[in-house]
Amino acid sequence: MKILPSNFSGTKLSFLSLFFVIMFTVSCTKNNSEHYQIVLKNGNVNVGDGTPSKIMDIGINADTIAFIGNIDPKNADSVIDVSGLIVAPGFIDMHAHLDPIFKHPDAKSALTQGITTSLGGPDGGGFWPFGSRLDSIAELPLGMNVAYLVGHNQIRKAVMQMDNREPTVEELSKMKTMVSQAMNDGAFGISTGLKYLPGAFSKVDEVIEMSKSASEKGGIYTSHLREEGLGLLEGVSEAIQIGEKANIPIILTHHKAIGKPVWGFSKKTLKMVDSARALGIDVMIDQYPYNASYTSISVLIPAWARAGGQKEFIKRTENKKLKDSILAGIEFNILNDRGGGDLNRVQLAKTPWDETLSGKTLKFWAERENLEPNAKNGALLVLKAQLTGGGTAIYHAMDEKDIQRIMQHPQTMIGSDGRLTYTDDEGWPHPRWYGTFPRVLGHYVRELNVLDLPTAIKKMTSMPADRLGLSKRGRLKVGNYADITIFDSETVIDKSIYTDPHHYSEGIKYVFVNGVLTINDAMLTENRGGKVLRGMGYKK
C-alpha cells in the first residue's frame, strides 16, 4: 500500500481529490435520475465539432438539451429509439431565399433536408424597412428558425432607385444609417449582389463604407461576387479588400467557377482565401453541391442595358445601335459565362409568358422557333424573354472538379441557395431547393467519399453557428437549444433532379426545432417551434 507524505498540503490535496470524485459521481447519478420530457435512445451522437459519433442518449426538457449520456427510459415521458441513426445538431443553411416565408411558414422543403435554421436576405436582396418585417415574420407559425441579412441592393434601390452612378455624400450617409438601423433591428450583417442591379452600379468604396456600419455592430459580410465567371479572380480580390478595409468577416457565398473559360480557377481562388487568412483577414465560403446555378434570365444581359429599370431597357432596345450592342453582350455571355457555350446548358425555369417552356432548354426553344441553335439566335430569344416579362433559368456551366475542390476546403460551409417551396408549387425549381444537405451526406459523403461524415456535419452545424455567433446552436451540448437532426446515413439522399425537380429528400427521420418534434418518422408534423433569431447588434 502506498503511504502518502504526512504533511498538511498533501493531506489537503488527497481530501480535495476524493471530494471531487464523490461530487462527480453524485452529479452523474443525479443527472441520470432526472426526469426528461423526451429521450433519444441509443443514437450515434455526433456533437458537430468534427469528431466521430458515439452511442449515447440525449434528454430534452422544453427547448433545451438537458443531458447527454446514459439515461434510464423510465425517467422519460417519451422515448424515441434512434438506434443505428446519426443524431446531429440541426443543420444551419448559410444561404437561403426566404421570400415565400408568408406562404410557406412551415418550411417543409427545408425541414425535410434537416435544416433547423436558415439565413435569409442573401445576394443584396432582402427587405426594407427591416425591423417591422422581422416583427411580422415572428408572428408566423414558423417551422424552423430564421435569421436575416440586410441587402445592399435593397437599400441602394430605396435611396437611389436604379441609377447607374455613385451616391452623393448625403445618399451614402443615409444608406450607412439604414444599415446601422437594420443591425439594431436584428440583422446578422450585410449581403451584396454585385452581379445584380443596382449593386452592379456600385463602386468598391461605397460597399466598404456600408459594410463598416455592419462591422461596428458585430455583423458579417456575404458577397455574391461581382463576377463568378470571367472576372472571378478580380471578384474574389474585391471581396477580400472589402473585408479588410471594413474590418468585417467575409463569406464568399455560393462560391463557384462558372463558364468553361474559368473551370479549374477554384485552385486559384482557394489559394487567395488561404493567403488572406494568413494575413489575418477573416474569409470563409459557403457552397451548394450542384454543377448548375439558378438566377434570372437577365443575368445574360449587360448591366448597363438595364440601368433605370425595365422601361429604360425597352427604350434602349428600340435604338438599333444600342440593341445590337445588347445582343452582342448577351451572345458573349452565352459563349463565355453562364451560357456555358451551348444553348443546351441554359434550362428555362420560370417562364410566365409561356409555361410550356418551363424545364426546357434554350436549344429546345430555338428549334421550336425553327432557328439554328447557336449563340446568336440564343441572344435573340433571351432578349425576347426579357422584353416579354423576364424569367429565370438553370445554367449548367460548372465543372465537378471545382465543386469537389471547394467542398473540401476547410473554410467551406454548406448553403442551399434554395427557395422555400412545396411539391405542388408551380414553376421549375433548382434541385438545391429540396436536396442540398441530403445530397452532401448521400452523394458526396457516402457515394464519393469527398468528405467524411464528421467533417460534413461540422460544415453544416458548428461552423455556420460560429460564423453567425449562435453560441447555443450548432453543437449537441448540455444547455444548448434542442435543434437536432436525426438521419439514416445509409439511405439519406436527394430525390429532386433537373428534369423532375419537385421531390422532397429521403433519409431525414426526425427533426427537433427548439425541442419541438417537427419531423417525426420522416413526416412533417403540425408542431411548430421556429423562432426569428436576431444578431448581436439587436437593441430591443
Side-chain angles (χ1 to χ4, degrees):
M1 183 177 71
K2 184 175 181 180
I3 306 297
L4 293 174
S6 58
N7 59 64
F8 179 79
S9 61
T11 305
K12 183 178 180 181
L13 179 61
S14 64
F15 279 124
L16 283 174
S17 299
L18 180 61
F19 172 78
F20 283 122
V21 169
I22 293 171
M23 290 306 294
F24 177 77
T25 303
V26 170
S27 174
C28 288
T29 303
K30 180 182 178 183
N31 278 331
N32 278 296
S33 64
E34 282 186 359
H35 198 80
Y36 305 101
Q37 293 171 336
I38 300 172
V39 167
L40 306 175
K41 191 69 180 170
N42 296 324
N44 293 301
V45 176
N46 190 289
V47 298
D49 62 1
T51 58
S53 305
K54 296 179 181 179
I55 297 178
M56 293 186 287
D57 308 329
I58 295 180
I60 301 172
N61 283 330
D63 63 354
T64 302
I65 297 172
F67 182 73
I68 301 176
N70 294 317
I71 302 174
D72 188 334
K74 295 178 182 178
N75 296 329
D77 293 335
S78 176
V79 176
I80 301 177
D81 184 358
V82 291
S83 299
L85 302 178
I86 302 296
V87 181
F91 303 151
I92 300 175
D93 188 346
M94 287 299 290
H95 185 129
H97 292 271
L98 303 177
D99 311 60
I101 193 73
F102 289 94
K103 180 181 179 183
H104 300 314
D106 61 12
K108 184 177 181 179
S109 57
L111 286 166
T112 50
Q113 298 184 54
I115 298 167
T116 58
T117 299
S118 285
L119 180 65
D123 301 331
F127 43 77
W128 188 264
F130 196 85
S132 59
R133 178 65 67 88
L134 281 192
D135 292 340
S136 297
I137 295 171
E139 295 176 358
L140 298 172
L142 297 172
M144 65 176 176
N145 303 311
V146 293
Y148 286 89
L149 301 162
V150 63
H152 164 250
N153 288 16
Q154 184 66 31
I155 287 181
R156 194 181 210 272
K157 186 175 181 180
V159 174
M160 301 175 60
Q161 292 77 52
M162 296 290 282
D163 292 354
N164 184 2
R165 61 177 176 83
E166 294 184 40
T168 65
V169 173
E170 293 77 14
E171 287 170 335
L172 182 58
S173 177
K174 183 175 181 180
M175 291 191 292
K176 286 172 61 70
T177 298
M178 291 167 73
V179 173
S180 183
Q181 181 59 54
M183 295 300 297
N184 290 344
D185 291 337
F188 278 79
I190 184 171
S191 74
T192 57
L194 301 179
K195 180 68 174 177
Y196 302 130
L197 302 186
F201 301 143
S202 65
K203 301 290 178 61
V204 67
D205 289 344
E206 171 190 324
V207 182
I208 290 170
E209 287 304 308
M210 292 176 67
S211 297
K212 286 179 179 179
S213 294
S215 174
E216 290 166 358
K217 303 198 175 183
I220 63 173
Y221 171 79
T222 77
S223 178
H224 182 303
L225 302 178
R226 201 174 292 271
E227 293 293 344
E228 295 176 316
L230 297 176
L232 172 62
L233 302 184
E234 292 81 1
V236 172
S237 179
E238 180 184 45
I240 292 171
Q241 178 188 2
I242 292 166
E244 180 184 23
K245 299 296 183 183
N247 190 30
I248 191 169
I250 314 153
I251 297 175
L252 308 180
T253 200
H254 54 43
H255 190 42
K256 62 177 76 75
I258 195 160
K260 286 186 178 181
V262 297
W263 285 1
F265 272 37
S266 60
K267 295 176 183 178
K268 298 179 181 180
T269 63
L270 296 177
K271 285 181 180 179
M272 293 171 72
V273 169
D274 292 338
S275 297
R277 292 186 65 84
L279 294 172
I281 303 170
D282 190 352
V283 191
M284 294 183 74
I285 297 164
D286 72 54
Q287 179 202 35
Y288 54 79
Y290 295 90
N291 61 4
S293 66
Y294 175 104
T295 192
S296 170
I297 195 75
S298 64
V299 77
L300 294 170
I301 301 172
W304 63 264
R306 294 178 291 129
Q310 182 73 355
K311 288 184 179 180
E312 294 301 315
F313 172 71
I314 293 172
K315 287 181 181 179
R316 293 185 183 99
T317 64
E318 293 169 349
N319 179 306
K320 186 180 185 307
K321 186 175 181 180
L322 291 178
K323 181 180 179 180
D324 289 344
S325 295
I326 293 169
L327 288 170
I330 298 172
E331 185 177 350
F332 179 87
N333 286 330
I334 289 174
L335 291 171
N336 299 287
D337 202 87
R338 285 178 196 266
D342 183 350
L343 299 194
N344 216 33
R345 290 181 176 271
V346 180
Q347 182 183 9
L348 300 168
K350 186 179 180 180
T351 54
W353 31 272
D354 185 351
E355 293 184 358
T356 65
L357 286 172
S358 292
K360 303 297 194 299
T361 66
L362 202 53
K363 179 183 178 182
F364 172 89
W365 189 14
E367 291 175 340
R368 195 183 76 172
E369 299 294 319
N370 295 315
L371 297 172
E372 183 70 24
N374 55 37
K376 186 178 184 67
N377 287 328
L380 289 170
L381 295 177
V382 169
L383 181 63
K384 179 179 179 180
Q386 186 65 19
L387 290 173
T388 312
T392 59
I394 300 169
Y395 302 90
H396 300 262
M398 294 151 62
D399 183 58
E400 179 66 21
K401 292 179 181 178
D402 284 313
I403 294 166
Q404 296 188 21
R405 191 178 295 117
I406 293 169
M407 187 179 293
Q408 290 175 326
H409 192 273
Q411 297 304 323
T412 298
M413 303 169 287
I414 304 303
S416 71
D417 199 3
R419 183 179 176 86
L420 297 176
T421 188
Y422 286 153
T423 53
D424 58 357
D425 277 359
E426 296 178 353
W428 204 271
H430 191 295
R432 68 194 185 197
W433 298 14
Y434 289 105
T436 291
F437 289 78
R439 180 171 176 79
V440 172
L441 297 169
H443 184 59
Y444 285 97
V445 172
R446 185 178 65 246
E447 296 176 354
L448 298 183
N449 296 312
V450 172
L451 299 173
D452 60 57
L453 184 60
T455 299
I457 292 173
K458 180 180 178 180
K459 289 174 176 287
M460 301 174 175
T461 58
S462 62
M463 284 178 66
D466 290 347
R467 176 85 305 175
L468 295 174
L470 299 175
S471 60
K472 296 185 71 176
R473 303 184 195 274
R475 289 176 175 82
L476 297 182
K477 180 180 177 182
V478 173
N480 278 9
Y481 290 109
D483 289 350
I484 302 173
T485 291
I486 302 169
F487 63 93
D488 186 340
S489 62
E490 297 300 317
T491 64
V492 64
I493 197 66
D494 58 311
K495 303 301 290 185
S496 175
I497 59 176
Y498 294 112
T499 55
D500 187 15
H502 280 296
H503 295 282
Y504 298 112
S505 293
E506 294 181 354
I508 303 296
K509 300 298 185 180
Y510 303 93
V511 176
F512 289 84
V513 180
N514 296 306
V516 176
L517 180 58
T518 311
I519 296 288
N520 183 14
D521 196 19
M523 300 295 292
L524 181 68
T525 71
E526 295 183 356
N527 307 323
R528 301 290 174 262
K531 299 178 181 178
V532 170
L533 307 182
R534 305 194 190 233
M536 61 181 65
Y538 176 53
K539 293 183 179 180
K540 296 182 181 180

